[in-house]
Amino acid sequence: MTEIHDQQASLARTCGEESAYRTTRLIFWISCLSFALFEAWSGAHFTNPDGIAYLDMSDAFLRHDWHLLINSLWSPLYPFLIGIATWLIRPSSNLELPIVHAVNFVIFVGLVAAFDLLLQKAIVIFSPAQDGIGRAHEPSRYAWKYQLLGYSLFFWSTFVLISGLRMVCPDQCVAMFVFLDAALLLDVYSGKATMRTFALLGVTLGLGYYAKAILFPMAFIFLGVAWFAAPKKQRTVPRILTAFLVFIAVSAPLSVCISRMAGKPSFSEAGSLNYAWHVDGFPPTPFYSTNRPAYLKHPMKLLHGSPAVFAFDGPAPSTYTPYLYSAYWNSGVTAKFDLKKQWKEIRRNVMGFFSMPLASIWIWIAGVVFLLALNKQSLTFKTKKILQTWPLLIPGVTAWGLYMAVHVESRYLGPFILLVFLGLLPAALSQKPEDAHRNRILIPALLSAIVMAMSIVFIVHRAATLPVVWAKKQFDRTAQSLTQMGIHSGDKVAIIGYGSDDMIWARRDRLQIIAQISPTDANEFWLADSKQQSEVYDAVAKAGAIAIVTDAVPDTKRSPDWIRLGNTRSYIRFIGPLPSSK
């Protein structure tokens, strides 16, 4: 064991002294941070609907309503970090989203560092020198090629699959903890782990659960891998027990709170709800129909029957409670396994790999297959080399399988796909001793260049479309127009149609959407006579709303009270007299 450690230390020193290795590492850091800054700047005023939910949760930090940070569907770590930043800076509503993207950049720096740590450990542990087949000069060549492809994989996974810093979501936090967990597993696998390593593994597994619920079941996969990866089993039992107890101690407060909220033992309702929605076919918004399902424990209040108008005052005030408290409104939904439906969802998720951005994975698959074909090592050796990387492959494949059974999005799979490819590269890059003098860098360099170029195209395309051109102009103008018309923070409004886009301008002005004419009934409302529309207005007013906002273009001849919000596509109708300035 001492000899192996000495070999690893020697290889680590050799790699660290190689100018190509150090230069590639420097270029990687500069490139990642530069493009991250570009994305944070270009998308500074952009958010997705999920981001509004996390921003609403972050308000709990400022108000000291700590219980609102606990949500059975949304994880608390990311909004907690946003809450710290907003508490320190106290930004205006116009600067709130730029501050959030600054938080994303700080998280990204941690993500880069976590992956860099993982990559350095993987290079050393899976080097051909550890198999006794490498010559003195061959490991450094292998290390440089592995490093080049590994950094390209990270760039692609982060900026294409996870969508970089544009999305206001915790996926970068998730990736950071996944890479830290994997790096600690490699320490265990190499025999260098101490009791402190296992305790740290328990901490990172526990904190990862606070970042996203999927990392709770994955924690047991990582612990299982750590158990089998440890070379000395007689010393492993107390260490694994330490990691497990630390994980339980860190994760227990959140899981206990969620269990109380759900009324049953639960670490999160996200998995069961997504299974019910995507596999079993339950509607995510069952309140959009007057024939509301009997299983709902918290049905929304029906203000008007035809057209249907619903009111939702939710378990706590928020921008749009049907989104933030979706688990509350869907309480009563029960996921049931159905083999036929399960197989149908798996097929649908498989087809998702033929549409962008997940389709870009085929470039990597083709590249790795080509490198394996070029490698003159025997099939037995390649298989053995792949099996040696099982501490990376098992967590990656397991998470992949969990998502494939329920619902797949590229940002969910990003870090786990990367683990799988990191596990395949050693078999593709290890050469026979007699072939070690052949550099064979052209194919890895070409694959790296293609993927980097494709990733940059994605980054530039995003910057030129969604964040600046659409989100900033549309939602900010809507919010500004509402303010100019006398609507202020804390006011309550109703909407016609979908609520996902309306959440953004409502959050900008700190408004609460408390009533809604469902999308399926919107057309009926516009075709209704003046008496029916007046009944709707009266019902919405009684619910507490002072105005109704819509993205549709009303017939101003039939309904002259609708006012266009500046030069946006939105219109507003005040219910009663116009609000006075406060």
Side-chain angles (χ1 to χ4, degrees), residues 343-360:
W343 177 240
K344 182 180 179 180
E345 183 63 22
I346 291 174
R347 284 185 299 170
R348 181 163 47 239
N349 288 330
V350 168
M351 294 306 297
F353 284 85
F354 294 94
S355 58
M356 297 302 287
L358 273 175
S360 59

Side-chain angles (χ1 to χ4, degrees), residues 315-366:
S318 66
T319 302
Y320 183 61
T321 64
Y323 205 85
L324 177 59
Y325 295 108
S326 187
Y328 173 84
W329 296 115
N330 281 271
S331 181
V333 172
T334 304
K336 296 181 180 179
F337 178 78
D338 184 294
L339 183 59
K340 185 177 180 180
K341 291 180 178 179
Q342 180 66 84
W343 177 240
K344 182 180 179 180
E345 183 63 22
I346 291 174
R347 284 185 299 170
R348 181 163 47 239
N349 288 330
V350 168
M351 294 306 297
F353 284 85
F354 294 94
S355 58
M356 297 302 287
L358 273 175
S360 59
I361 194 176
W362 295 105
I363 297 176
W364 275 109
I365 292 175

Side-chain angles (χ1 to χ4, degrees), residues 3 35 55 62 82 95 147 199 201 207 322 356 359 362 414 435 459 548 553 565:
E3 181 181 352
F35 280 101
L55 285 168
L62 300 177
I82 295 173
L95 292 177
Q147 179 198 40
L201 177 61
L207 291 178
M356 297 302 287
W362 295 105
D435 294 329
I459 294 171
I548 301 179
V553 180
L565 291 172

Side-chain angles (χ1 to χ4, degrees), residues 24 119 123 143-153 364 441 444-446 448:
T24 303
L119 186 63
I123 288 173
W144 188 75
K145 290 184 285 187
Y146 193 114
Q147 179 198 40
L148 183 65
L149 291 174
Y151 285 149
S152 302
L153 271 167
W364 275 109
I441 192 58
L446 182 61
S448 176

Side-chain angles (χ1 to χ4, degrees), residues 125 253 262 267 371 405 452 460 502 530 556:
I125 293 173
F267 64 90
L371 286 171
M452 291 290 288
V460 174
D502 296 317
S530 58
T556 53

